[in-house]
Amino acid sequence: AQKITQTQPGMFVQEKEAVTLDCTYDTSDPSYGLFWYKQPSSGEMIFLIYQGSYDQQNATEGRYSLNFQKARKSANLVISASQLGDSAMYFCAMRASNTGNQFYFGTGTSLTVIP
Amino acid sequence: EPEVTQTPSHQVTQMGQEVILRCVPISNHLYFYWYRQILGQKVEFLVSFYNNEISEKSEIFDDQFSVERPDGSNFTLKIRSTKLEDSAMYFCASSYTGTTNEKLFFGSGTQLSVL
């Protein structure tokens, strides 16, 4: 069974600072994908970044990077130079081939950027 | 970028009534999904659909739920006799290959309120 854990229900960060949102996962499948989505107050789910289990390098997408530590089964999202518009819920998700490639989400972290 | 479209954005219904939530997935996608998010909680998988049949469903997806792809573009979720606890945001999603390295494209959601 899959398990995604986000231990930070809420986080605060000063504008222009960097912030790390934690995500740990558990799967027995060697082939899996890890994803981060942003959900602003308007409710839509916005894809941010992807990391494959076989990827050698950490994924980066603009101000977003993923700190992938496979042995620790962690996939933390790093947001650099936080902006007010980054205030939102952030969900970590995983899909693995041994569970039909379904997306399983963590409980989310609410990020508030303080001016 | 292509979008998944969901209608209506808000639906209010009386307990015991039937509702149909509608989705238009991205046109060349082959895998379709419904997820739900009860207010402030995690995003939960309901059902996946491929090749005109359900490929996987969660324990939430009981006999009161059904899905259909009535034509080449729409994908619907029917809740036969709504309960108060069905109140949630319902997200439709689609993907092309359904593999571990592919993100899901989410619609903006339908907020269902059961009174």
Side-chain angles (χ1 to χ4, degrees), chain A residues 34-100:
Chain A
L34 297 158
F35 303 78
W36 279 90
Y37 282 81
K38 172 184 177 182
Q39 186 180 41
S41 57
S42 50
E44 71 267 33
M45 297 289 282
I46 301 168
F47 167 75
L48 295 178
I49 196 166
Y50 159 80
Q51 180 84 43
S53 59
Y54 295 117
D55 293 344
Q56 296 296 315
Q57 299 210 337
N58 287 342
T60 60
E61 290 283 350
R63 293 187 298 112
Y64 304 108
S65 60
L66 204 152
N67 184 1
F68 180 46
Q69 298 189 48
K70 195 170 182 177
R72 293 185 176 185
K73 293 190 174 179
S74 74
N76 299 337
L77 177 70
V78 180
I79 306 174
S80 63
S82 298
Q83 301 171 357
L84 296 178
D86 293 334
S87 294
M89 281 291 287
Y90 289 80
F91 290 96
C92 180
M94 177 171 68
R95 67 190 316 189
S97 55
N98 69 348
T99 52

Side-chain angles (χ1 to χ4, degrees), chain B residues 87-106:
Chain B
S87 295
M89 177 76 94
Y90 287 80
F91 289 102
C92 175
S94 70
S95 66
Y96 179 63
T97 64
T99 55
T100 57
N101 64 344
E102 190 188 13
K103 68 182 182 184
L104 288 188
F105 291 77
F106 283 87

Side-chain angles (χ1 to χ4, degrees), chain A residues 2-60:
Chain A
Q2 319 281 25
K3 188 173 181 182
I4 297 281
T5 303
Q6 294 181 254
T7 57
Q8 307 154 312
M11 289 281 286
F12 292 87
V13 64
Q14 204 75 38
E15 195 178 5
K16 299 180 186 175
E17 298 292 311
V19 63
T20 298
L21 307 184
D22 294 342
C23 173
T24 57
Y25 61 92
D26 188 22
T27 181
S28 57
D29 196 328
S31 176
Y32 53 88
L34 297 158
F35 303 78
W36 279 90
Y37 282 81
K38 172 184 177 182
Q39 186 180 41
S41 57
S42 50
E44 71 267 33
M45 297 289 282
I46 301 168
F47 167 75
L48 295 178
I49 196 166
Y50 159 80
Q51 180 84 43
S53 59
Y54 295 117
D55 293 344
Q56 296 296 315
Q57 299 210 337
N58 287 342
T60 60

Side-chain angles (χ1 to χ4, degrees), chain B:
Chain B
E1 187 172 67
E3 290 183 344
V4 175
T5 306
Q6 287 187 247
T7 55
S9 56
H10 292 86
Q11 174 92 48
V12 180
T13 190
Q14 295 290 326
M15 190 170 59
Q17 295 295 304
E18 174 183 288
V19 294
I20 298 176
L21 309 183
R22 303 180 190 279
C23 171
V24 179
I26 293 171
S27 60
N28 66 338
H29 282 187
L30 303 176
Y31 294 79
F32 314 116
Y33 310 83
W34 284 100
Y35 286 80
R36 80 171 185 190
Q37 183 183 30
I38 295 172
L39 185 63
Q41 299 185 25
K42 70 191 296 184
V43 181
E44 300 174 295
F45 167 72
L46 291 178
V47 65
S48 59
F49 193 87
Y50 169 71
N51 199 26
N52 280 320
E53 61 183 23
I54 291 173
S55 48
E56 193 164 339
K57 59 184 180 180
S58 72
E59 61 273 12
I60 302 169
F61 193 88
D62 60 21
D63 291 343
Q64 69 163 150
F65 291 94
S66 62
V67 290
E68 195 178 31
R69 188 155 164 82
D71 52 42
S73 60
N74 291 283
F75 180 52
T76 61
L77 174 69
K78 182 191 290 187
I79 309 175
R80 246 178 289 279
S81 178
T82 50
K83 306 171 191 169
L84 295 177
E85 54 265 36
D86 294 328
S87 295
M89 177 76 94
Y90 287 80
F91 289 102
C92 175
S94 70
S95 66
Y96 179 63
T97 64
T99 55
T100 57
N101 64 344
E102 190 188 13
K103 68 182 182 184
L104 288 188
F105 291 77
F106 283 87
S108 298
T110 294
Q111 182 65 56
L112 176 66
S113 298
V114 182
L115 305 179

